[in-house]
Amino acid sequence: MSVVMKFGGTSVQDAAAILRAAEIVRSRLHRAPAVVVSALSKVTDCLLAAARAAALGNREQSLAITLGLRERHYTAVSELLRAPIFTALHESLAAQFDALDDLLRGISALEELTPRTLDNVLSFGERLSSAMIAEAFRARGLQATHVDARSCISTDANHGNAVPDLARSAVALEKYIRPLLNAGEVPVLGGFIAATPSGITTTLGRGGSDFTAAIIGASLNSTDIEIWSDVDGMMTTDPRICPSARRIKTLTFEEAAELAYFGAKVLHPATLLPAVQKDIPVWVLNSANPACEGTRIIARAAPTSNPFKAIAAKTSITIVDIVATRMLMAHGFLESIFAVFARHRCPVDMVCTSEVSVSVTVDSTHAIPALAADLARLADVKYEGRKAILCLVGENIRGARGLAAQVFSAIPDVDIRMISQGASEINISFVIEEADVPRAVAQLHDRFFSEVDPEVFA
Ligand code: ASP
Ligand code: MG
């Protein structure tokens, strides 16, 4: 029996947050917690900025960023620890910051930043936070042991988005983590960071600490995985858009995966996979409000009277319309279109087709003019940005009648550009103008969440 507790960046952002985390861990001591921590909030962004500045040869700018990070960590340590532990940890953090600065000087001298080197730079965030937090936990009387996640989580060499080798990681976790748990120790690991079998540092992709937590939970057959962040759980919609948003008490992995993709930033979608396979519940909890029971994500949910669990919106979407009369009765046309998207490494979100046209949505951040130019060799192409995908998610969509009519009649004045009822059968998605998002979300929330099943919603 064990529980994996992952604390995100805001949950360890400073000394006060780290002390709160320590108390939350203490409340779980009887459940053999293994702790995964992110870098202090915004640290990964700063490291990324430092690496990029160095790559442009801006050494001073790059080192100014790490100086700021250094001070922030030193301040936290000075608030958390007393001499002589303070002195020892301060020295070890200083040595790590010196190594980081050396690395950045090297990058700026070469004006070259490879994905492998970037992973090395980014790994400092979690290496520093986990070492510091383990010490802080000890200072609060917890028997914490710092474990370098790079000795436990094994990946391929796909830097920036490395793919974990679950079998290999499980062996290492049994070797390094299980004995600590058995001895009543609390292992503290940095999330996000990993290594190849030959020991080269890798990262699991932005937000990857959740992934680390899920890999550890699945390997150790934990009873629960807790994702501690700064929100009370997953909500029926973005409370900033719609103040009457409610907390979802329980939803399925499939529903959570749809929502994670649609910008419910609480969770990294890939998190869910190792946990799903082992049927381990994942909890989304608030470290600033630990009394709130959060959101529990499980394999199967009981049917409820509400057709939907949540409404999500994803903005910054571009619609690409591809029209070709050649497509009439032809085969292989879609393949040639999608080959172009693949060549541009451009993920496609939503697809609608008719006999002679295909409309797809892509993130507006992609280099769309180049993509469109390539597509134009096959067909007539138009694209239009400032769109949003609105998505209603719920297992109860399966088999429900008349739901689409209810959805669209709730937003009579909103211009609908594309409609897709997902193959997963648990979402209805459509594309609207970005500017219409607040109004559409409010109207839909009113329509579908004014009365809710108290078992499922808070
Ligand atoms: N620190 C990493 C990031 O900001 C990983 C994480 O926090 O999940 O992406
Ligand atoms: Mg995160």
Side-chain angles (χ1 to χ4, degrees):
M1 196 188 83
S2 85
V3 55
V4 177
M5 307 178 70
K6 177 257 169 172
F7 293 91
T10 51
S11 299
V12 293
Q13 61 186 350
D14 53 22
I18 292 170
L19 292 179
R20 273 200 300 277
E23 291 318 307
I24 293 169
V25 171
R26 194 192 310 285
S27 72
R28 303 287 199 270
L29 278 183
H30 59 291
R31 298 181 59 198
V35 174
V36 174
V37 296
S38 286
L40 275 52
S41 65
K42 298 281 178 300
V43 166
T44 310
D45 290 333
C46 291
L47 290 168
L48 188 59
R52 288 195 176 138
L56 295 170
N58 298 331
R59 198 181 65 167
E60 299 310 315
Q61 190 191 340
S62 169
L63 295 179
I65 294 172
T66 58
L67 183 60
L69 292 180
R70 209 185 260 262
E71 280 161 6
R72 198 169 146 207
H73 284 76
Y74 289 174
T75 305
V77 171
S78 72
E79 287 168 21
L80 288 165
L81 302 172
R82 288 174 211 279
I85 306 289
F86 167 78
T87 319
L89 186 68
H90 189 278
E91 265 169 33
S92 111
L93 293 189
Q96 294 205 57
F97 273 112
D98 291 347
L100 171 60
D101 284 350
D102 281 345
L103 191 57
L104 292 167
R105 282 189 199 98
I107 295 167
S108 83
L110 294 169
E111 295 193 19
E112 185 194 23
L113 178 62
T114 63
R116 171 173 160 170
T117 304
L118 179 59
D119 269 355
N120 195 347
V121 171
L122 297 185
S123 74
F124 277 89
E126 270 75 7
R127 284 155 69 183
L128 293 157
S129 70
S130 56
M132 186 170 108
I133 290 163
E135 273 313 337
F137 282 7
R138 293 172 75 86
R140 304 299 290 182
L142 299 169
Q143 288 183 41
T145 304
H146 180 227
V147 178
D148 191 331
R150 294 173 298 173
S151 62
C152 295
I153 309 294
S154 189
T155 67
D156 65 8
N158 184 16
H159 288 284
N161 251 316
V163 179
D165 179 334
L166 297 178
R168 220 188 143 90
S169 305
V171 172
L173 288 160
E174 280 303 326
K175 180 167 165 203
Y176 296 111
I177 303 298
R178 180 79 69 193
L180 293 173
L181 296 176
N182 289 343
E185 296 266 331
V186 179
V188 178
L189 299 89
F192 177 58
I193 60 175
T196 65
S198 54
I200 309 297
T201 297
T202 56
T203 62
L204 300 176
R206 293 305 306 273
S209 292
D210 297 348
F211 202 2
T212 307
I215 295 165
I216 296 177
S219 297
L220 298 175
N221 285 310
S222 298
T223 51
D224 297 274
I225 296 166
E226 298 182 342
I227 306 291
W228 291 89
S229 67
D230 58 356
V231 293
D232 279 343
M234 297 183 84
M235 306 291 285
T236 51
T237 196
D238 186 340
R240 285 165 306 185
I241 300 182
C242 184
S244 56
R246 293 161 182 267
R247 176 166 55 88
I248 310 170
K249 289 189 188 172
T250 176
L251 76 170
T252 66
F253 285 113
E254 240 187 301
E255 290 169 335
E258 300 268 359
L259 290 175
Y261 165 71
F262 278 98
K265 293 214 181 62
V266 199
L267 276 178
H268 188 287
T271 300
L272 305 169
L273 288 174
V276 178
Q277 281 155 2
K278 288 277 181 90
D279 222 344
I280 302 172
V282 175
W283 296 79
V284 177
L285 296 157
N286 186 354
S287 68
N289 182 20
C292 175
E293 65 178 25
T295 296
R296 183 183 55 148
I297 305 165
I298 50 176
R300 275 165 298 279
T304 78
S305 50
N306 290 80
F308 301 117
K309 293 280 175 44
I311 306 169
K314 189 166 194 249
T315 51
S316 270
I317 294 289
T318 295
I319 296 187
V320 183
D321 290 318
I322 303 148
V323 181
T325 30
R326 249 177 64 201
M327 197 166 130
L328 197 63
M329 317 295 272
H331 56 81
F333 186 73
L334 284 177
E335 183 178 3
S336 57
I337 300 263
F338 284 111
V340 177
F341 284 91
R343 233 182 5 259
H344 285 261
R345 298 180 139 257
C346 177
V348 169
D349 292 335
M350 198 192 281
V351 185
C352 292
T353 65
S354 77
E355 249 337 301
V356 293
S357 68
V358 190
S359 296
V360 308
T361 66
V362 299
D363 274 3
S364 302
T365 47
H366 273 273
I368 292 162
L371 172 83
D374 254 9
L375 286 169
R377 287 188 223 154
L378 302 170
D380 295 329
V381 180
K382 276 187 317 203
Y383 58 91
E384 217 183 299
R386 294 188 178 283
K387 302 288 175 279
I389 301 179
L390 223 84
C391 172
L392 293 120
V393 175
E395 295 267 7
N396 290 351
I397 295 174
R398 275 194 188 107
R401 301 231 168 124
L403 215 46
Q406 289 178 40
V407 169
F408 295 117
S409 64
I411 44 170
D413 307 324
V414 174
D415 185 17
I416 315 253
R417 296 291 304 267
M418 273 168 77
I419 302 176
S420 140
Q421 181 150 357
S424 68
E425 295 189 294
I426 68 160
N427 84 66
I428 298 176
S429 304
F430 46 93
V431 177
I432 62 176
E433 296 296 327
E434 214 169 62
D436 287 338
V437 167
R439 184 163 54 111
V441 168
Q443 287 172 335
L444 288 165
H445 199 272
D446 237 33
R447 172 67 187 77
F448 291 105
F449 292 96
S450 293
E451 273 166 44
V452 294
D453 181 343
E455 295 286 316
V456 179
F457 302 95

